[in-house]
Amino acid sequence: MAIKLTINGREFQAEPCDTVLTVAKAAGVYIPTLCHSEAVSDYGACRMCLVEVERRGRKRLVTACLYPVEEGLKVTTDSEKALRVRRTVIELLLARCPGSAAVKEMAAALGVTESRFSIADENSKSDACVLCGLCTRVCAEVVGASAISLVNRGTEREVALPFYNEAGDCIACGSCAYICPTGAISLVDSGNKRIISWPQGTVDFAMKACLNCGTNYAPVRQVEFMARKSGLSPSEFDYCPDCRKL
Amino acid sequence: MVAEKSGKRLNSASELELLCEEIKRSVSARTRTVTICCGTGCLAYGGTKVAQAFRDEIKSRGLESEVEVKTTGCHGFCERGPLVVIRPENILYQRVKPADIPQVIDETLISGRVIDRLLYTIPGTKEKVTYEHDVPFYKKQMRLVFGANGYIDPTVIEDYIGCGGYAALSKTLFEMKPDEVVDEVKKSGLRGRGGGGFATGAKWQSTREAHGDPKYVICNCDEGDPGAFMDRSLMEGNPHAIIEGMVIAAYAIGAHLGYIYIRNEYPVAVKHAEKAIAQAEAMGLLGENILGSGFSFSVKINRGGGAFVCGESTALMASVEGRVGEPRAKYIHTSEKGLWDQPTVLNNVETLANVPLIINRGAQWYSSIGTANSKGTKIFSLVGKVNNTGLIEVPMGITLEEIVYGIGGGIPKNKKFKAIQTGGPSGGCLPASKLDMPVDFDELTRAGSMMGSGAMIVMDEDNCMVDIARYFLSFLEGESCGKCVPCREGLKRMRQILDRIISGQGQPDDIELLENLSETLTWGALCGLGGGAANPIMSTLRYFREEYEAHIIEKRCPAGVCKPLISYNIINEKCPNCTLCIKACPVGAITGQGKKLPVILDQVKCTKCGACYDVCRLGAVEVR
């Protein structure tokens, strides 16, 4: 049964399990997000997608990525209050991550060019990580490796390998680097090595060479992981995808 | 006869009733009961030693059959512990030491004389008070939930049954339908005592109506607010009341499994709850086929991992599930999707302890106590700059003044009342002008504070409100889970701003910046911890703005607290060179000039520790 709601005064129809963000996106209404990705479950940590909703006459700010639509819901994506809070939040992130182009860009789009908070900060361990948790979610939910995790709490929170140096469960697939919205995680393939850098550690992984053409086509661990998961014989992975087709 | 029946399974309502009467009879067979408070406060003062001394002495004199010695949970009057109450007369002896015991037995228990020196003295009038119920601290209270603590040994289920315990459960199971229980709680007007003040009956109803099976009942005993210890004292002192409340809740919503989430920092509470569960199960008051009614419900204990944020319902449930205790957005209520995504009722300890009362005495009686929208009583922990610290239970609607002056006995050393912080770290500070305010959920919220857990911290003229705001803020900064940006980054920045105000580096637009961050946290944070975190700042800005301005503009701390902004000075006219301060100064910043000449304080050497100020009996040291 379709649900009727309004976003910025325009009426929309949605399915009961939709969130405000999905409906807005489908309708082309822009809501900024940092910690949202369709690939993983929603989390509600970055607070960039705060929108104002009115229900039974009561207004409040909610995260669009998590808020389920309901009949008669009135959503304002750019209310004065939502914008004000969003701007302060991005200002806080700007002070935390002065080195992130993505944060700077999003801030500029919100009309924030500088932060009122001191950037020089003795506790700042990361120049780009906004702790959105996309990397840890993709690793746990999509890859199924759970090799990295958010550790500690409060201002001490960070993305880290177990005990800060055990990459034992990492299959070097690089999903974390691909999904990272701010470039805090980097991935470089160099010859027979894949180098992944997380905010709290860098690890080199060996690459598997194709028996035919010699290309380093995937990390050894990822190949082993795929063989294990698919139940195929490891020899099925001796050749790179291009050579296998031949 | 009681011993024979005790510990045996009860299979019907009438068996419970019979046992209750037998226990009552056997209690009245003894002439006297000595109850020794062994709550946390009294234990710290040596309560166990006093209890042991009583037991030894009674035994050596062969008085066991006439006098019963009972260690109980917290009586509330922690300030004067260890507390000893001799019943049935209710003679209250305070600050009792093991050495006092032979005299208490000789004079009071045998000869019936009251020992004057052990009685409580009213500070102002120096009047001695003999009976517990005449002590001003107790007199103005209404101890419906908490009162039983003084009569019950929490490790003895018979004590609770003898006081009418589990009668409400029996009534629920045999005389009421689940809907009627929900209705009764709804009609009573009971609101959640953990802080939120959500209507308990409405919560039960939505869980009852929610689709999903199994359903769960959780008791939240993860109290962590600075200065709060009422949940601890209830769980330690009367665990069966909470279990009884849980079973009634379970019956009302249709749950068969429940959890008590206790912070691991409360080992006695854990121990007593474990014991109580085992006893109740053995007697058929918990577990399979309770009292032969066909209804089954069991309770497990889950010890908290030590994170303040785990008091937040969704974080608590994550913790019970074995995950990291981080909250999630509550757009879908836990009454519909709670523990393991199943409908769950989560109630605070005190809320559940109110439930048997409501069932026993009726919603109408219950709702006659309190104000229009806040019914019943509330237990507050009264601490800080107040003469009688401890736990108090008062009807909703009592004024702050009655609490601070009537029950609390006013401010020590005749200092001036400055503020009362209510509601814990997410609450606020209320000024003297709010003293005549009736205390209930809505009034406190309107005044910019909240009921919260019920912590009340009294502050006098020597407290700096900027410093206090910073204290609560840095507490929350340390306890934030760090999931959402406003809470993690915002609290850090707010604390940094307060740090610089306190150190004399405050900037003119700092107040505006604090207000802006406060708004961001209030509206933008993910959970209640972050959402309420700005309250200490907003309330102090609302009522004590001039103190912030003094720090920022005049670089002055009016209360004389913030070290970088103060200096200690010798008032020459008052100083006869008694040299006390010279001896107290740890850095040798004070030197004497000889008899009758004032001492000299070297500001360069001074570390502003305040030792000179504390030792000077002549008022010759001043803080500027």
Side-chain angles (χ1 to χ4, degrees), chain A residues 43-47 50 61-63 66-67 81 84 88 92 95-96 116-118 121 130-131 153-155 157, chain B residues 307 326 329 331 478-486 488-490 492-493 513 516-517 519-520 523-526:
Chain A
Y43 193 52
C46 74
R47 319 307 282 171
L50 284 170
L61 296 190
V62 300
T63 36
L66 290 168
Y67 199 84
K81 188 176 250 157
R84 212 163 49 226
T88 313
L92 286 166
R96 176 191 168 87
R116 285 170 293 175
F117 311 109
S118 60
D121 177 13
V130 289
L131 295 168
R153 68 168 184 240
T155 47
R157 192 178 174 92
Chain B
E326 269 171 19
Y331 303 140
E479 295 297 340
S480 163
C481 78
K483 181 173 176 178
C484 78
V485 180
R488 183 186 67 234
E489 305 293 328
K492 173 169 93 178
R493 297 304 177 174
L513 198 51
N516 184 222
L517 281 169
E519 185 198 29
T520 306
W523 291 92
L526 174 75

Side-chain angles (χ1 to χ4, degrees), chain A residues 52-190:
Chain A
E52 191 163 291
V53 293
E54 193 183 328
R55 199 173 154 236
R56 292 188 207 127
R58 210 176 127 236
K59 285 183 181 176
R60 58 176 178 151
L61 296 190
V62 300
T63 36
C65 68
L66 290 168
Y67 199 84
V69 292
E70 54 199 335
E71 188 61 41
L73 186 73
K74 281 186 209 162
V75 182
T76 315
T77 62
D78 53 358
S79 80
E80 209 180 304
K81 188 176 250 157
L83 281 179
R84 212 163 49 226
V85 173
R86 239 187 255 160
R87 281 193 193 113
T88 313
V89 172
I90 197 76
E91 213 179 323
L92 286 166
L93 285 176
L94 204 54
R96 176 191 168 87
C97 305
S100 165
V103 173
K104 268 188 219 160
E105 214 173 279
M106 188 172 279
L110 285 163
V112 177
T113 47
E114 57 186 273
S115 180
R116 285 170 293 175
F117 311 109
S118 60
I119 287 174
D121 177 13
E122 72 283 7
N123 294 324
S124 172
K125 288 177 183 162
S126 152
D127 207 25
C129 179
V130 289
L131 295 168
C132 66
L134 276 172
C135 52
T136 59
R137 273 177 287 153
V138 79
C139 189
E141 297 172 17
V142 180
V143 181
S146 299
I148 46 171
S149 148
L150 286 158
V151 300
N152 297 330
R153 68 168 184 240
T155 47
E156 301 287 311
R157 192 178 174 92
E158 51 196 343
V159 172
L161 292 164
F163 308 106
Y164 289 98
N165 65 3
E166 300 264 331
D169 290 325
C170 178
I171 60 164
C173 68
S175 299
C176 51
Y178 298 125
I179 207 169
C180 177
T182 65
I185 302 175
S186 71
L187 179 152
V188 183
D189 282 344
S190 132

Side-chain angles (χ1 to χ4, degrees), chain B residues 292-306:
Chain B
S293 67
F295 179 72
S296 302
F297 177 71
S298 34
V299 173
K300 287 182 184 173
I301 288 178
N302 202 298
R303 286 190 280 179

